[in-house]
Amino acid sequence: MSAASLPQAPEDVDGRDKPDHDGQGVNSRTARAYTLTIWGIALGILIQAVATVAWALAIGNAQLFKDGVDWVYDVALYGIAAIVFGRDARIERLAAVAIGAVMAVAGLHTLYDLWDKVVRPRPIEVWTLGFAAASAIVIAFLVVGALWRFRREENPVIKATWLSSRNDTISTTGFALVGLAARVAPVRWPEYLFDLVVAGICFQATWAIWRSLRRSVDSEASQTGLRNKAQTDATGGL
């Protein structure tokens, strides 16, 4: 888009420029910066995913391959956040459905990987598994660093991604270390139990999103019914 086609900045009644906004209470400059940051995060994680999957295929490591594919879910979630930002409530609900679907697929993928591990036990490779854990921790800190400048914004999408990334710097670190310990344990049951917990978390998130959407739809339907009844009663009383 050329500069000539951009809308002119609105003016206040006293002739001074008034900042325009994109989204809920976010000025256009911050909105553009946030959108670029989110897309940058999604692209960066996608590059990490492709590199990890390529390495896994090159060395024939199924566990590393699964770790690489897992990054795709993060790419999808940050991509959805970038698409939804600044949109209306209908788009936000569709995005919530998409996020729930992504989490459900992640849970099914984890269960499939668990089944594959039981059928075809995998050798323990500390270096590659350690790389997967270390890369998860590093990326979590890079993401929170990229979103640091937006930590005081009140827009719900921005706040959600910031709080999520902030919490991930703690939870991902612990999760990655616990997962690494389970995978390199001398017995296999801690790793299998860990996979079941991961799948359960994914399905719980899907269920929570679905329930939230149902409550939102039911609430809107109830409010619409009350408004229609009030209008009918008012008309009948004329």
Side-chain angles (χ1 to χ4, degrees), residues 136-193:
I137 295 171
V138 169
I139 288 177
F141 277 90
L142 289 175
V143 170
V144 79
L147 292 173
W148 178 262
R149 63 178 291 192
F150 306 105
R151 66 190 184 280
R152 301 192 189 282
E153 295 293 335
E154 292 300 323
N155 178 275
V157 176
I158 296 179
K159 183 173 286 293
T161 50
W162 156 247
L163 291 176
S164 176
S165 67
R166 185 197 65 181
N167 294 343
D168 278 350
T169 59
I170 300 172
S171 62
T172 299
T173 299
F175 213 59
L177 294 177
V178 170
L180 177 62
R183 287 174 175 178
V184 300
V187 290
R188 296 273 59 85
W189 69 263
E191 180 181 2
Y192 300 159
L193 179 61

Side-chain angles (χ1 to χ4, degrees), residues 88-152:
D88 57 25
R90 183 180 64 86
I91 298 298
E92 289 180 353
R93 278 197 289 269
L94 290 175
V97 172
I99 291 173
V102 169
M103 299 305 296
V105 171
L108 292 172
H109 181 204
T110 301
L111 290 179
Y112 168 78
D113 188 68
L114 172 59
W115 172 83
D116 187 62
K117 281 189 238 181
V118 174
V119 174
R120 295 179 294 181
R122 301 168 185 173
I124 297 173
E125 299 181 15
V126 178
W127 289 110
T128 52
L129 297 179
F131 165 79
S135 61
I137 295 171
V138 169
I139 288 177
F141 277 90
L142 289 175
V143 170
V144 79
L147 292 173
W148 178 262
R149 63 178 291 192
F150 306 105
R151 66 190 184 280
R152 301 192 189 282

